[in-house]
Amino acid sequence: MFKNVNSLSELLNLEHQKKDFDNQIDSILKIIKVETNLDLKNGNIFIKNNNLKIKASSSIKFIILLHLIQINQKIKLINKDFILEL
C-alpha cells in the first residue's frame, strides 16, 4: 500500500507505522466483533507479509468460519491484499 510521504524522516517514522498497524488490528477486531459477537484480544491477531493469522481455540475458529464470507469481504476493504488464515 502506497502513502503520500513528504520526507524521508516521515517514511521512517516507526511510531506512525505502529499507529497504522494498531488501527488495522482494531478495525479487524471490530469486524469480527460485529459479525460473530466474539471479543478477541490484540494478541490473537498477527499480520506478517499481508497474511492475517487469527490464533484462537477451535470453537472460536469454527464460529469465524461460519461467518467467513462476510468477515473476509470487510477485511478486504481495509487491505485488499490480506490473506486470512485461521
Side-chain angles (χ1 to χ4, degrees):
M1 175 168 30
F2 293 105
K3 296 182 180 183
N4 290 336
V5 178
N6 297 325
S7 67
L8 182 60
S9 64
E10 191 175 307
L11 177 65
L12 297 175
N13 187 349
L14 295 178
E15 184 176 316
H16 181 62
Q17 291 176 11
K18 183 176 178 345
K19 186 186 297 182
D20 286 346
F21 180 77
D22 288 343
N23 287 339
Q24 285 182 342
I25 296 289
D26 289 340
S27 298
I28 292 166
L29 289 172
K30 286 178 188 174
I31 290 169
I32 292 172
K33 175 73 173 169
V34 167
E35 292 297 326
T36 63
N37 210 17
L38 294 172
D39 194 19
L40 297 178
K41 305 294 179 206
N42 288 351
N44 294 94
I45 296 185
F46 301 96
I47 299 175
K48 184 177 181 182
N49 298 332
N50 288 330
N51 288 334
L52 174 71
K53 184 164 182 128
I54 299 175
K55 289 190 128 187
S57 67
S58 59
S59 59
I60 291 175
K61 288 180 182 181
F62 179 73
I63 294 170
I64 292 173
L65 282 172
L66 291 174
H67 302 276
L68 186 64
I69 293 172
Q70 295 89 355
I71 292 171
N72 200 28
Q73 287 174 348
K74 291 182 180 181
I75 288 175
K76 293 287 184 183
L77 294 175
I78 296 172
N79 185 345
K80 65 181 174 99
D81 296 327
F82 275 157
I83 299 169
L84 182 61
E85 286 183 34
L86 293 176

